[in-house]
Amino acid sequence: MQFCAYRDRSHKEVEEKLRGMNMIPAAQEQIIIQLMQEDFLNEERFARSFVRGKFRIKKWGKIKIKQELKFREISGPIIKNALTEIDQQKYISTLYELAEKKLKLLKEPDKFKKKRKLADFLLRKGYESNLVYEVANELLE
Protein backbone atom coordinates (compact mmCIF):
# COMPACT_ATOMS: atom_id res chain seq x y z
CA MET A 1 0.00 0.00 0.00
CA GLN A 2 2.90 2.34 0.76
CA PHE A 3 4.40 1.60 -2.66
CA CYS A 4 1.15 2.68 -4.37
CA ALA A 5 0.43 5.58 -2.01
CA TYR A 6 3.78 7.26 -2.78
CA ARG A 7 2.72 7.83 -6.41
CA ASP A 8 0.30 6.28 -8.89
CA ARG A 9 1.56 2.95 -10.25
CA SER A 10 0.61 0.72 -13.16
CA HIS A 11 -0.40 -2.91 -12.68
CA LYS A 12 2.85 -3.95 -14.36
CA GLU A 13 4.98 -1.97 -11.87
CA VAL A 14 3.16 -3.53 -8.92
CA GLU A 15 3.47 -7.04 -10.38
CA GLU A 16 7.21 -6.54 -10.93
CA LYS A 17 7.63 -5.26 -7.36
CA LEU A 18 5.78 -8.28 -5.95
CA ARG A 19 7.78 -10.66 -8.17
CA GLY A 20 10.95 -9.01 -6.87
CA MET A 21 9.79 -9.82 -3.35
CA ASN A 22 9.60 -13.51 -4.40
CA MET A 23 5.90 -13.83 -3.64
CA ILE A 24 3.89 -16.78 -4.90
CA PRO A 25 1.46 -15.97 -7.78
CA ALA A 26 -1.64 -16.55 -5.63
CA ALA A 27 -0.44 -14.02 -3.04
CA GLN A 28 0.47 -11.54 -5.79
CA GLU A 29 -3.02 -11.80 -7.25
CA GLN A 30 -4.65 -11.39 -3.85
CA ILE A 31 -2.60 -8.28 -3.06
CA ILE A 32 -3.36 -6.71 -6.45
CA ILE A 33 -7.09 -7.34 -5.99
CA GLN A 34 -7.01 -5.77 -2.52
CA LEU A 35 -5.08 -2.74 -3.81
CA MET A 36 -7.65 -2.26 -6.57
CA GLN A 37 -10.59 -2.60 -4.14
CA GLU A 38 -9.08 -0.01 -1.80
CA ASP A 39 -8.33 2.28 -4.78
CA PHE A 40 -4.56 2.24 -4.27
CA LEU A 41 -4.19 0.80 -7.76
CA ASN A 42 -6.14 2.50 -10.52
CA GLU A 43 -4.96 2.23 -14.14
CA GLU A 44 -6.95 5.21 -15.42
CA ARG A 45 -5.74 7.51 -12.64
CA PHE A 46 -2.18 6.31 -13.28
CA ALA A 47 -2.45 6.97 -17.03
CA ARG A 48 -3.90 10.45 -16.52
CA SER A 49 -1.23 11.53 -14.04
CA PHE A 50 1.48 9.98 -16.25
CA VAL A 51 0.27 11.99 -19.26
CA ARG A 52 0.07 15.25 -17.28
CA GLY A 53 3.50 14.75 -15.75
CA LYS A 54 5.40 13.73 -18.88
CA PHE A 55 3.87 16.56 -20.90
CA ARG A 56 4.26 19.26 -18.25
CA ILE A 57 7.69 18.33 -16.91
CA LYS A 58 9.51 16.54 -19.74
CA LYS A 59 7.52 18.19 -22.55
CA TRP A 60 6.97 14.89 -24.33
CA GLY A 61 4.65 14.69 -27.34
CA LYS A 62 1.59 12.46 -27.56
CA ILE A 63 3.33 9.75 -29.61
CA LYS A 64 6.10 9.20 -27.05
CA ILE A 65 3.63 9.26 -24.16
CA LYS A 66 1.39 6.73 -25.94
CA GLN A 67 4.36 4.41 -26.61
CA GLU A 68 5.47 4.59 -22.99
CA LEU A 69 1.96 3.78 -21.73
CA LYS A 70 1.74 0.81 -24.12
CA PHE A 71 5.09 -0.39 -22.78
CA ARG A 72 3.55 -0.26 -19.30
CA GLU A 73 0.69 -2.44 -20.62
CA ILE A 74 -2.06 0.17 -20.34
CA SER A 75 -5.05 -0.58 -22.60
CA GLY A 76 -5.82 1.48 -25.72
CA PRO A 77 -9.10 3.04 -24.53
CA ILE A 78 -7.50 4.16 -21.26
CA ILE A 79 -4.56 5.69 -23.19
CA LYS A 80 -6.92 7.51 -25.54
CA ASN A 81 -8.92 8.83 -22.60
CA ALA A 82 -5.79 9.88 -20.69
CA LEU A 83 -4.42 11.85 -23.66
CA THR A 84 -7.40 14.19 -23.33
CA GLU A 85 -5.59 15.63 -20.29
CA ILE A 86 -3.39 17.59 -22.72
CA ASP A 87 -4.90 20.90 -23.80
CA GLN A 88 -4.40 21.30 -27.57
CA GLN A 89 -3.51 25.02 -27.32
CA LYS A 90 -0.91 24.31 -24.66
CA TYR A 91 0.39 21.38 -26.73
CA ILE A 92 1.01 23.58 -29.77
CA SER A 93 2.55 26.41 -27.71
CA THR A 94 4.87 23.92 -25.99
CA LEU A 95 5.92 22.59 -29.39
CA TYR A 96 6.77 26.12 -30.58
CA GLU A 97 8.58 26.85 -27.31
CA LEU A 98 10.73 23.72 -27.66
CA ALA A 99 11.46 24.47 -31.32
CA GLU A 100 12.51 28.06 -30.66
CA LYS A 101 14.73 26.99 -27.78
CA LYS A 102 16.41 24.29 -29.89
CA LEU A 103 16.88 26.67 -32.83
CA LYS A 104 18.93 29.01 -30.65
CA LEU A 105 21.27 26.12 -29.80
CA LEU A 106 21.78 24.92 -33.38
CA LYS A 107 24.99 26.28 -34.93
CA GLU A 108 24.36 24.76 -38.37
CA PRO A 109 24.85 27.34 -41.19
CA ASP A 110 22.99 25.28 -43.83
CA LYS A 111 19.25 26.03 -43.62
CA PHE A 112 18.16 22.55 -44.74
CA LYS A 113 20.43 20.72 -42.30
CA LYS A 114 19.26 23.03 -39.54
CA LYS A 115 15.63 22.26 -40.38
CA ARG A 116 16.41 18.52 -40.42
CA LYS A 117 18.11 18.67 -37.00
CA LEU A 118 15.23 20.64 -35.54
CA ALA A 119 12.65 18.21 -36.96
CA ASP A 120 14.62 15.18 -35.71
CA PHE A 121 14.78 16.66 -32.21
CA LEU A 122 11.03 17.33 -32.10
CA LEU A 123 10.21 13.89 -33.52
CA ARG A 124 12.37 12.25 -30.82
CA LYS A 125 10.38 14.21 -28.25
CA GLY A 126 7.29 12.42 -29.58
CA TYR A 127 5.45 15.10 -31.52
CA GLU A 128 3.44 14.29 -34.64
CA SER A 129 5.36 14.66 -37.91
CA ASN A 130 2.80 16.93 -39.59
CA LEU A 131 3.00 19.41 -36.67
CA VAL A 132 6.80 19.15 -36.50
CA TYR A 133 7.32 19.97 -40.17
CA GLU A 134 4.73 22.76 -40.03
CA VAL A 135 6.57 24.38 -37.10
CA ALA A 136 10.03 23.82 -38.63
CA ASN A 137 8.98 25.37 -41.94
CA GLU A 138 7.34 28.33 -40.22
CA LEU A 139 10.32 29.10 -37.97
CA LEU A 140 12.93 28.75 -40.70
CA GLU A 141 11.20 30.82 -43.40
Side-chain angles (χ1 to χ4, degrees):
M1 288 181 188
Q2 263 185 312
F3 181 68
C4 292
Y6 175 68
R7 71 170 175 83
D8 286 324
R9 308 277 182 178
S10 69
H11 284 269
K12 185 178 179 183
E13 287 175 305
V14 173
E15 287 170 8
E16 287 172 359
K17 178 75 170 178
L18 292 173
R19 243 183 270 122
M21 297 168 78
N22 295 322
M23 292 203 162
I24 59 171
Q28 289 178 18
E29 196 173 307
Q30 193 61 39
I31 290 170
I32 288 174
I33 290 169
Q34 185 179 355
L35 289 172
M36 287 171 69
Q37 286 172 344
E38 295 180 20
D39 207 31
F40 280 100
L41 192 58
N42 183 324
E43 290 259 288
E44 185 154 356
R45 187 178 61 217
F46 165 76
R48 287 180 172 280
S49 68
F50 185 87
V51 167
R52 282 191 307 269
K54 294 303 179 188
F55 174 67
R56 192 171 38 85
I57 296 165
K58 293 197 174 191
K59 302 195 184 324
W60 283 3
K62 291 179 181 178
I63 294 172
K64 190 168 184 173
I65 292 171
K66 191 184 297 184
Q67 287 174 337
E68 193 63 34
L69 286 171
K70 281 182 183 176
F71 172 74
R72 292 164 191 261
E73 298 176 2
I74 306 297
S75 68
I78 290 177
I79 293 173
K80 188 176 181 184
N81 199 6
L83 287 172
T84 61
E85 290 288 312
I86 299 174
D87 177 51
Q88 192 61 25
Q89 291 298 121
K90 197 158 190 77
Y91 188 70
I92 299 294
S93 67
T94 301
L95 177 59
Y96 272 97
E97 182 185 307
L98 277 173
E100 289 166 356
K101 195 173 182 180
K102 184 65 177 177
L103 262 180
K104 289 177 185 172
L105 299 173
L106 291 174
K107 304 289 185 224
E108 185 63 54
D110 183 6
K111 183 180 174 183
F112 295 106
K113 286 183 180 177
K114 194 176 209 175
K115 189 183 290 187
R116 183 78 221 148
K117 286 184 177 186
L118 176 63
D120 287 345
F121 169 75
L122 295 172
L123 290 170
R124 278 194 307 277
K125 279 291 214 178
Y127 289 90
E128 295 85 340
S129 58
N130 61 330
L131 293 175
V132 166
Y133 291 114
E134 190 179 302
V135 168
N137 288 331
E138 190 176 317
L139 293 177
L140 287 166
E141 288 303 313

